[in-house]
Amino acid sequence: MIVAAIAVVIVVALVIGWLKVRDTASEREEQATASCVAGEATLTVAADPAIADALRTLAERYADTDPVVRDQCISVAVDAVATEQAAAALTAGTWDEAAMGPRPALWVPLSSASIRAVPHEGDPRSIAGSPVVLATPPALAEALRSANITWGDLPRLQDDPSSLAALGLSDWGALRLALSTPLAGPSLLAVESVAIAANGGPLAAESVTSAPVTTALTQLGTSAANSAELAAFADQPDPRSAAVHAVPAVESQVRAAGTDAITTFAPGGDAAVADFPGVAVTGDWVDETRHRAASLFVDYVRQPDQASVLSDSGFRVGTDEATSTPAPVRDALAERYAAQTRGTATTVLVDVSSSMGTGDRLTGVTSALRSYVAAAPETAALGLWSYSRNLDGATPYRDEARTEPLNADRKRILDDVLARLAAGTATRDQAYPTLIA
């Protein structure tokens, strides 16, 4: 009898509790509906692909709070747009909605480095941090880690043809680090980290043109391949002979790749940090409601209760600060890197008169040129003329190889031409007519 009475009490309590929950939910829904007297509004967010998925999850959570701004119910839509693409479109006013989605009221780029020219309001706040790292095959990551490689070591490893052999990777040759052209995103952050190491500390305007930084940029960029997508990079069948050994990335990008073929290696030293700022964009498409909604959504995602969503996606929350390199200095660094690695076009004139047959004069010249051709970047262009007297009929010069970029085939052609150059019998050369030509 007592047991039955207790059971009845429990059932009654459960029914009353359920009714209260139902009534509360119903009241909440009615209140939300009543508060949306001005209708609904969508906050459009354009986010770098590295953080877009995490922000979509946070947007769903935010929707459960029934946000209302200026009597309008707010929903959040997140589109993934590459940082460089979004920056260019927002700066120039050329946003393509068909390809990029609706114009955003909130933009979350990879780094504060990209926002200087974009019309925005207020001081953007960092949503999450992710230091730049190198995505590499596991074997290379282990070798680099065992050797305690720092950012300052990368130019030497990139420049030395047999650098990885000293790390126990005998068949790998030099480090083949890929960097984007033009320099942007994680590639820019990686070069910034190298420059900080070369400078021995934070960068200033005068640091960018210093000898240590200039040397590091030249060594790093001379043999750099164009940046590869992580998916394509991970699909390389044999990392030892692959065109690319390492790609700058942020930790979340490597995690999102979802493959065991690549892992992360964090070089020692100060690394530049992708700080993913929340940028309140200004434009005639952003009304006061959306502007306020953007600020409130940034407030929401920065709350400690949301940190797990970001940390589970590979971000660091509340621990990393953005690199302190000022935006103008970072821009100057990118320009300096481009200038140091930009290909040159050169036409070489080689004297093949009889005087060059004395001793090893001609052999010395051609040997030096063959070494240069072998080591020169593919962005460089080289042509070769020989000159003496009456080389081509009455003409004192001959076009041995036209000036073209030094890809593998072109290097082979030039090497063959240089190998067969021989001194002639003419005792006088005609350098001046050749230069005029």
Side-chain angles (χ1 to χ4, degrees):
M1 188 71 175
I2 295 174
V3 173
I6 293 173
V8 170
V9 170
I10 292 174
V11 169
V12 170
L14 290 173
V15 170
I16 293 173
W18 179 83
L19 289 173
K20 287 185 176 180
V21 170
R22 184 195 65 180
D23 291 343
T24 299
S26 178
E27 290 173 4
R28 183 180 177 184
E29 182 177 355
E30 289 174 1
Q31 290 172 358
T33 302
S35 64
C36 300
V37 294
E40 300 179 348
T42 300
L43 169 64
T44 301
V45 181
D48 188 90
I51 200 172
D53 286 342
L55 287 180
R56 289 190 185 104
T57 300
L58 290 168
E60 292 172 1
R61 285 192 177 193
Y62 187 56
D64 293 338
T65 69
D66 297 323
V68 176
V69 176
R70 304 181 78 213
D71 294 328
Q72 288 184 276
C73 288
I74 301 298
S75 60
V76 179
V78 179
D79 293 316
V81 184
T83 290
E84 294 75 31
Q85 182 185 17
L90 289 170
T91 301
T94 56
W95 192 275
D96 183 356
E97 294 195 347
M100 303 164 69
R103 289 179 295 181
L106 179 65
W107 176 43
V108 185
L110 185 83
S111 167
S112 295
S114 303
I115 70 177
R116 192 158 61 99
V118 173
H120 65 279
E121 185 171 305
D123 187 14
R125 294 167 292 166
S126 172
I127 288 174
S130 193
V132 63
V133 296
L134 300 183
T136 74
L140 177 57
E142 180 59 31
L144 295 172
R145 196 172 292 115
S146 296
N148 296 317
I149 295 300
T150 69
W151 288 106
D153 295 322
L154 296 186
R156 171 180 57 82
L157 296 179
Q158 187 92 332
D159 191 52
D160 182 351
S162 59
S163 61
L164 296 185
L167 306 185
L169 301 175
S170 57
D171 298 332
W172 290 60
L175 175 67
R176 293 190 281 275
L177 172 65
L179 297 169
S180 66
T181 303
L183 201 61
S187 289
L188 175 55
L189 296 178
V191 170
E192 182 181 341
S193 302
V194 169
I196 290 171
N199 190 54
L203 298 174
E206 61 273 14
S207 308
V208 173
T209 56
S210 68
V213 171
T214 298
T215 299
L217 296 183
T218 302
Q219 289 181 313
L220 190 68
T222 297
S223 302
N226 194 35
S227 186
E229 295 292 334
L230 286 181
F233 172 50
D235 287 340
Q236 296 179 124
D238 185 354
R240 294 173 299 177
S241 58
V244 174
H245 286 155
V247 176
V250 294
E251 292 171 333
S252 57
Q253 289 175 317
V254 181
R255 180 175 297 195
T259 174
D260 294 333
I262 56 174
T263 187
T264 60
F265 169 69
D270 294 332
V273 176
D275 59 328
F276 296 96
V279 182
V281 177
T282 57
D284 56 12
W285 65 92
V286 183
D287 58 18
E288 181 62 25
T289 298
R290 287 169 176 79
H291 177 70
R292 292 188 187 181
S295 179
L296 291 172
F297 182 61
V298 171
D299 287 342
Y300 176 81
V301 300
R302 284 168 51 87
Q303 292 175 1
D305 290 346
Q306 317 311 324
S308 61
V309 174
L310 294 165
S311 59
D312 288 347
S313 298
F315 296 97
R316 301 184 185 184
V317 182
T319 57
D320 291 316
E321 296 181 357
T323 174
S324 59
T325 301
V329 175
R330 189 183 288 111
D331 292 344
L333 179 67
E335 292 172 4
R336 184 69 172 176
Y337 173 83
Q340 292 301 120
T341 59
R342 188 179 294 122
T344 57
T346 306
T347 299
V348 177
L349 306 181
V350 178
D351 181 3
V352 292
S353 65
S354 61
S355 63
M356 294 297 289
T358 303
D360 57 358
R361 287 182 182 178
L362 185 58
T363 300
V365 170
T366 56
S367 294
L369 286 172
R370 293 174 75 180
S371 296
Y372 168 78
V373 168
E378 292 191 1
T379 53
L382 186 72
L384 180 67
W385 286 22
S386 60
Y387 71 95
S388 176
R389 185 182 180 86
N390 299 329
L391 276 184
D392 190 5
T395 305
Y397 56 85
R398 181 165 50 229
D399 185 350
E400 303 284 358
R402 61 185 180 273
T403 303
E404 291 186 2
L406 290 174
N407 57 34
D409 289 338
R410 201 64 193 163
K411 287 187 176 188
R412 194 176 305 111
I413 291 171
L414 277 164
D415 189 73
D416 290 343
V417 169
L418 288 165
R420 61 176 171 76
L421 280 184
T425 58
T427 57
R428 296 177 60 190
D429 65 66
Q430 290 185 300
Y432 184 73
T434 305
L435 290 172
I436 293 299

